[in-house]
Amino acid sequence: MLSQRLSNRKVLVDVLALLFGIGAWVGVNGIYVQLPLLVNTAPEGWSLPAHMVMIVQFANLGPILYTLYVKYLACTRDHYIIYGLLGAGALSIYILAFMYKNTTTIFGGEHSTALLGLMLVSSFVGCTSSVLFMPYMRNYREIYLVSYLVGEGLSGFLPSVVALIQGVGGNPECVNNTKSGSEIKFETRYPDPRFSSQSFFLFLGTLLSFSFISFIALNKSKVARGERVKLPASTETLPTDMNAPPSYKTTAGWTMSRQTYFSLLTMMAVVCFLGNGILPSIQSYSCLPYGNVAYHLTVTLASMAGPLAMCSGFFFKNPKISSLSSLMTLVLILSSLVFYLAIKSPTPPLQNSWQGKFLVVVLWILVSGFIGFIKMGVTTLFRPDPGRGLYYTGVATQVGSLVGAITTFTLVNYTKIFQSYSPCDALMGH
């Protein structure tokens, strides 16, 4: 089966599509896997993930502007927009490498304005990719969509591998910082990683630069242009055409029941509500009480699990809807367990045992992997749609993510449901 999949295709176009896909979310994912280091020094502390998730949702302005652009302008040049997005994304990460520690006082509180502001630029790339990058691949043969999606998965996998090598230096220590004749004081000290966040961000910027160059080659090289689809004008439309027929029943021979069509879109919205909104915002509260190493392993390994699950789409071309529904049930159960651990912070079950650390890491790996597989499955089922299926998939992704982000941002910052933990708390209580 694998040899058949690899036949009748241009490997160079696969590589270009893969590198193009890496550029979609590598900036956001790369910043995210640095959280075990950033939360130690950022003024937002443990609530930094919730702020970052909200920043990503603000970037949903990108898809909105793109939709208006397509609707009201007769002449659209998607590749020019993609050039601008990838170029701006690469530049923002390079700048971030030198400014991520800069803070500003706003409304009496100190905030990581440089980090969050430059992340907003990278987020524009990721959010807009859902309704622009992936549908743009419809211009090429179907076999290259999987290559793009694998690349999009690697945008989380590659930064995670590098972050895993980087490490966090170990768990924090509580050090007596008392000066002679003064009140006893303790200070939390964090070991240094193998290399700095600055070096890591420079690596991310280089990845985005490669993605930018690859997209140029995808549009300009003769090999890639020869793999484009010749769409019959009478039956098919480009994915960005707002006048396309309803997707669940088309004249091009692709059909899907109305119930299945909307249930799949709902499934995509729910997994993004959890995977892009709820769970990332509370990850620090569910993991950090088990130690900095457990948090680091959770962030990096869970970030790998999703992409690896999405890569399985290369082998499972037509996933069963019943299987996706079963996995959706497991995702809801596992997400509830994660939420329970976050609520129990700063003293969750099995906190000071290796079983607790093992539990939280495995729990996050499973939920991230299942969410990644469901995303791949829904996208694959909509791929043959000659109408607006992929476009609506992108819309469902962003709507679910936005609702989830607003929900947890409110809970984290304006309620006392989630409490942070410090190794010095117990000592200072005596």
Side-chain angles (χ1 to χ4, degrees), residues 16-71:
L16 294 177
L18 185 145
L19 290 173
F20 172 42
I22 286 178
W25 287 98
V26 70
V28 174
N29 290 332
I31 296 173
Y32 182 73
V33 296
Q34 284 293 285
L35 273 174
L37 297 175
L38 296 176
V39 294
N40 297 333
T41 57
E44 292 83 2
W46 284 27
S47 68
L48 180 62
H51 285 78
M52 289 170 60
V53 170
M54 277 303 300
I55 286 294
V56 174
Q57 301 316 312
F58 285 139
N60 279 316
L61 180 62
I64 295 173
L65 292 176
Y66 173 72
T67 302
L68 295 175
Y69 166 76
V70 170
K71 184 175 182 179

Side-chain angles (χ1 to χ4, degrees), residues 246-316:
S247 298
Y248 50 86
K249 185 177 181 181
T250 73
T251 57
W254 183 89
T255 58
M256 177 183 286
S257 70
R258 187 184 184 94
Q259 180 180 358
T260 300
Y261 182 83
F262 288 108
S263 66
L264 287 176
L265 290 180
T266 301
M267 189 181 299
M268 177 65 86
V270 172
V271 295
C272 291
F273 170 82
L274 295 170
N276 298 344
I278 296 288
L279 298 181
S281 299
I282 63 173
Q283 190 172 44
S284 56
Y285 295 94
S286 68
C287 299
L288 269 174
Y290 293 97
N292 220 31
V293 174
Y295 184 30
H296 172 66
L297 290 175
T298 298
V299 170
T300 52
L301 296 180
S303 296
M304 293 180 188
L308 287 175
M310 294 181 74
C311 289
S312 62
F314 187 82
F315 303 98
F316 300 97

Side-chain angles (χ1 to χ4, degrees), residues 123-403:
S123 301
F124 266 103
V125 181
C127 290
T128 310
S129 71
S130 298
V131 295
L132 178 60
F133 288 20
M134 184 170 62
Y136 189 83
M137 290 304 298
R138 280 277 309 278
N139 294 301
Y140 298 87
R141 294 170 57 203
E142 179 181 350
I143 55 177
Y144 299 114
L145 177 64
V146 173
S147 299
Y148 167 83
L149 290 173
V150 170
E152 189 172 299
L154 288 175
S155 68
F157 183 82
L158 291 179
S160 299
V161 171
V162 177
L164 197 60
I165 297 172
Q166 179 188 25
V168 289
N171 289 319
E173 297 178 351
C174 191
V175 179
N176 191 331
N177 196 33
T178 306
K179 296 181 180 179
S180 58
S182 62
E183 183 182 353
I184 297 177
K185 294 182 179 180
F186 296 95
E187 177 184 356
T188 303
R189 291 186 180 176
Y190 300 91
D192 294 327
R194 293 185 180 90
F195 54 87
S196 67
S197 294
Q198 181 183 73
S199 300
F200 182 85
F201 290 138
L202 290 174
F203 163 75
L204 285 186
T206 302
L207 277 182
L208 268 166
S209 298
F210 284 147
S211 180
F212 177 66
I213 295 171
S214 297
F215 182 69
I216 295 176
L218 194 64
N219 281 276
K220 300 297 184 181
S221 66
K222 292 183 179 180
V223 175
R225 293 178 70 88
E227 295 298 293
R228 290 190 176 186
V229 176
K230 308 299 187 296
L231 297 174
S234 60
T235 59
E236 296 202 29
T237 58
L238 287 174
T240 54
D241 188 349
M242 297 298 105
N243 297 316
S247 298
Y248 50 86
K249 185 177 181 181
T250 73
T251 57
W254 183 89
T255 58
M256 177 183 286
S257 70
R258 187 184 184 94
Q259 180 180 358
T260 300
Y261 182 83
F262 288 108
S263 66
L264 287 176
L265 290 180
T266 301
M267 189 181 299
M268 177 65 86
V270 172
V271 295
C272 291
F273 170 82
L274 295 170
N276 298 344
I278 296 288
L279 298 181
S281 299
I282 63 173
Q283 190 172 44
S284 56
Y285 295 94
S286 68
C287 299
L288 269 174
Y290 293 97
N292 220 31
V293 174
Y295 184 30
H296 172 66
L297 290 175
T298 298
V299 170
T300 52
L301 296 180
S303 296
M304 293 180 188
L308 287 175
M310 294 181 74
C311 289
S312 62
F314 187 82
F315 303 98
F316 300 97
K317 190 174 183 180
N318 295 307
K320 294 182 179 179
I321 297 176
S322 58
S323 299
L324 295 180
S325 299
S326 299
L327 286 179
M328 186 72 241
T329 302
L330 285 175
V331 165
L332 292 175
I333 295 174
L334 294 174
S335 298
S336 299
L337 291 175
V338 169
F339 198 83
Y340 171 76
L341 293 181
I343 290 178
K344 299 300 289 184
S345 175
T347 56
L350 305 174
Q351 182 177 15
N352 297 314
S353 66
W354 69 266
Q355 292 94 338
K357 297 177 176 62
F358 179 79
L359 170 67
V360 72
V361 173
V362 171
L363 193 60
W364 273 96
I365 291 174
L366 290 176
V367 72
S368 299
F370 290 153
I371 286 175
F373 187 87
I374 292 174
K375 288 180 180 178
M376 168 62 78
V378 174
T379 302
T380 302
L381 290 173
F382 275 115
R383 173 58 187 84
D385 174 20
R388 289 171 285 178
L390 286 178
Y391 173 79
Y392 284 134
T393 300
V395 172
T397 296
Q398 300 307 328
V399 170
S401 302
L402 177 61
V403 175

Side-chain angles (χ1 to χ4, degrees), residues 31 35 38 42-44 47-56 58-59 92 96 99-104 106 110-124 409:
I31 296 173
L35 273 174
L38 296 176
E44 292 83 2
S47 68
L48 180 62
H51 285 78
M52 289 170 60
V53 170
M54 277 303 300
I55 286 294
V56 174
F58 285 139
S92 67
L96 180 65
M99 296 185 62
Y100 71 94
K101 291 183 178 180
N102 292 15
T103 60
T104 305
I106 301 177
E110 193 175 5
H111 294 280
S112 307
T113 48
L115 172 64
L116 297 176
L118 291 169
M119 185 178 181
L120 178 62
V121 179
S122 294
S123 301
F124 266 103
F409 184 83

